[in-house]
PDB file of all heavy atoms in Angstrom:
ATOM      1  N   ALA O 315      45.564-232.443  39.017  1.00  0.00           N
ATOM      2  CA  ALA O 315      46.278-233.238  38.020  1.00  0.00           C
ATOM      3  C   ALA O 315      46.540-234.626  38.580  1.00  0.00           C
ATOM      4  O   ALA O 315      47.038-234.774  39.687  1.00  0.00           O
ATOM      5  CB  ALA O 315      47.601-232.562  37.680  1.00  0.00           C
ATOM      6  N   PRO O 316      46.186-235.710  37.843  1.00  0.00           N
ATOM      7  CA  PRO O 316      46.388-237.065  38.334  1.00  0.00           C
ATOM      8  C   PRO O 316      47.864-237.349  38.601  1.00  0.00           C
ATOM      9  O   PRO O 316      48.738-236.853  37.884  1.00  0.00           O
ATOM     10  CB  PRO O 316      45.871-237.937  37.181  1.00  0.00           C
ATOM     11  CG  PRO O 316      44.986-237.033  36.381  1.00  0.00           C
ATOM     12  CD  PRO O 316      45.579-235.674  36.511  1.00  0.00           C
ATOM     13  N   PRO O 317      48.171-238.140  39.658  1.00  0.00           N
ATOM     14  CA  PRO O 317      49.563-238.466  39.976  1.00  0.00           C
ATOM     15  C   PRO O 317      50.264-239.078  38.783  1.00  0.00           C
ATOM     16  O   PRO O 317      49.739-239.965  38.123  1.00  0.00           O
ATOM     17  CB  PRO O 317      49.433-239.461  41.130  1.00  0.00           C
ATOM     18  CG  PRO O 317      48.080-239.183  41.722  1.00  0.00           C
ATOM     19  CD  PRO O 317      47.223-238.754  40.581  1.00  0.00           C
ATOM     20  N   GLY O 318      51.455-238.587  38.493  1.00  0.00           N
ATOM     21  CA  GLY O 318      52.254-239.143  37.420  1.00  0.00           C
ATOM     22  C   GLY O 318      51.930-238.590  36.051  1.00  0.00           C
ATOM     23  O   GLY O 318      52.577-238.922  35.075  1.00  0.00           O
ATOM     24  N   ASP O 319      50.905-237.719  35.976  1.00  0.00           N
ATOM     25  CA  ASP O 319      50.534-237.153  34.684  1.00  0.00           C
ATOM     26  C   ASP O 319      51.277-235.836  34.480  1.00  0.00           C
ATOM     27  O   ASP O 319      50.887-234.800  34.999  1.00  0.00           O
ATOM     28  CB  ASP O 319      49.013-236.918  34.650  1.00  0.00           C
ATOM     29  CG  ASP O 319      48.566-236.376  33.302  1.00  0.00           C
ATOM     30  OD1 ASP O 319      49.412-236.276  32.401  1.00  0.00           O
ATOM     31  OD2 ASP O 319      47.376-236.044  33.173  1.00  0.00           O
ATOM     32  N   ASP O 320      52.365-235.868  33.736  1.00  0.00           N
ATOM     33  CA  ASP O 320      53.201-234.684  33.546  1.00  0.00           C
ATOM     34  C   ASP O 320      52.911-233.970  32.228  1.00  0.00           C
ATOM     35  O   ASP O 320      53.594-233.030  31.866  1.00  0.00           O
ATOM     36  CB  ASP O 320      54.694-235.077  33.591  1.00  0.00           C
ATOM     37  CG  ASP O 320      55.090-235.602  34.964  1.00  0.00           C
ATOM     38  OD1 ASP O 320      54.521-235.104  35.947  1.00  0.00           O
ATOM     39  OD2 ASP O 320      55.947-236.497  35.025  1.00  0.00           O
ATOM     40  N   GLU O 321      51.918-234.437  31.495  1.00  0.00           N
ATOM     41  CA  GLU O 321      51.605-233.841  30.213  1.00  0.00           C
ATOM     42  C   GLU O 321      51.092-232.414  30.391  1.00  0.00           C
ATOM     43  O   GLU O 321      50.218-232.140  31.230  1.00  0.00           O
ATOM     44  CB  GLU O 321      50.535-234.672  29.513  1.00  0.00           C
ATOM     45  CG  GLU O 321      50.115-234.110  28.163  1.00  0.00           C
ATOM     46  CD  GLU O 321      48.961-234.881  27.574  1.00  0.00           C
ATOM     47  OE1 GLU O 321      48.528-235.870  28.195  1.00  0.00           O
ATOM     48  OE2 GLU O 321      48.485-234.489  26.491  1.00  0.00           O
ATOM     49  N   VAL O 322      51.635-231.497  29.633  1.00  0.00           N
ATOM     50  CA  VAL O 322      51.182-230.113  29.687  1.00  0.00           C
ATOM     51  C   VAL O 322      49.960-229.989  28.784  1.00  0.00           C
ATOM     52  O   VAL O 322      50.046-230.169  27.575  1.00  0.00           O
ATOM     53  CB  VAL O 322      52.288-229.143  29.228  1.00  0.00           C
ATOM     54  CG1 VAL O 322      51.751-227.719  29.220  1.00  0.00           C
ATOM     55  CG2 VAL O 322      53.488-229.254  30.148  1.00  0.00           C
ATOM     56  N   LYS O 323      48.827-229.677  29.380  1.00  0.00           N
ATOM     57  CA  LYS O 323      47.591-229.565  28.615  1.00  0.00           C
ATOM     58  C   LYS O 323      47.506-228.202  27.937  1.00  0.00           C
ATOM     59  O   LYS O 323      48.025-227.219  28.432  1.00  0.00           O
ATOM     60  CB  LYS O 323      46.393-229.770  29.542  1.00  0.00           C
ATOM     61  CG  LYS O 323      46.370-231.146  30.204  1.00  0.00           C
ATOM     62  CD  LYS O 323      45.185-231.272  31.144  1.00  0.00           C
ATOM     63  CE  LYS O 323      45.170-232.646  31.807  1.00  0.00           C
ATOM     64  NZ  LYS O 323      44.038-232.782  32.761  1.00  0.00           N
ATOM     65  N   ASP O 324      46.803-228.180  26.825  1.00  0.00           N
ATOM     66  CA  ASP O 324      46.622-226.930  26.097  1.00  0.00           C
ATOM     67  C   ASP O 324      45.764-225.952  26.903  1.00  0.00           C
ATOM     68  O   ASP O 324      45.979-224.740  26.860  1.00  0.00           O
ATOM     69  CB  ASP O 324      45.949-227.203  24.755  1.00  0.00           C
ATOM     70  CG  ASP O 324      45.677-225.931  23.981  1.00  0.00           C
ATOM     71  OD1 ASP O 324      46.650-225.317  23.500  1.00  0.00           O
ATOM     72  OD2 ASP O 324      44.495-225.538  23.873  1.00  0.00           O
ATOM     73  N   THR O 325      44.801-226.491  27.651  1.00  0.00           N
ATOM     74  CA  THR O 325      43.876-225.658  28.418  1.00  0.00           C
ATOM     75  C   THR O 325      43.686-226.222  29.821  1.00  0.00           C
ATOM     76  O   THR O 325      43.563-227.438  29.982  1.00  0.00           O
ATOM     77  CB  THR O 325      42.498-225.580  27.720  1.00  0.00           C
ATOM     78  OG1 THR O 325      42.660-225.049  26.408  1.00  0.00           O
ATOM     79  CG2 THR O 325      41.537-224.705  28.506  1.00  0.00           C
ATOM     80  N   THR O 326      43.666-225.347  30.805  1.00  0.00           N
ATOM     81  CA  THR O 326      43.370-225.734  32.181  1.00  0.00           C
ATOM     82  C   THR O 326      42.157-224.952  32.655  1.00  0.00           C
ATOM     83  O   THR O 326      42.048-223.745  32.417  1.00  0.00           O
ATOM     84  CB  THR O 326      44.551-225.447  33.124  1.00  0.00           C
ATOM     85  OG1 THR O 326      45.649-226.290  32.772  1.00  0.00           O
ATOM     86  CG2 THR O 326      44.177-225.716  34.577  1.00  0.00           C
TER      87      THR O 326
END
Side-chain angles (χ1 to χ4, degrees):
D319 182 5
D320 295 326
E321 179 186 358
V322 177
K323 299 178 180 178
D324 177 71
T325 302
T326 294

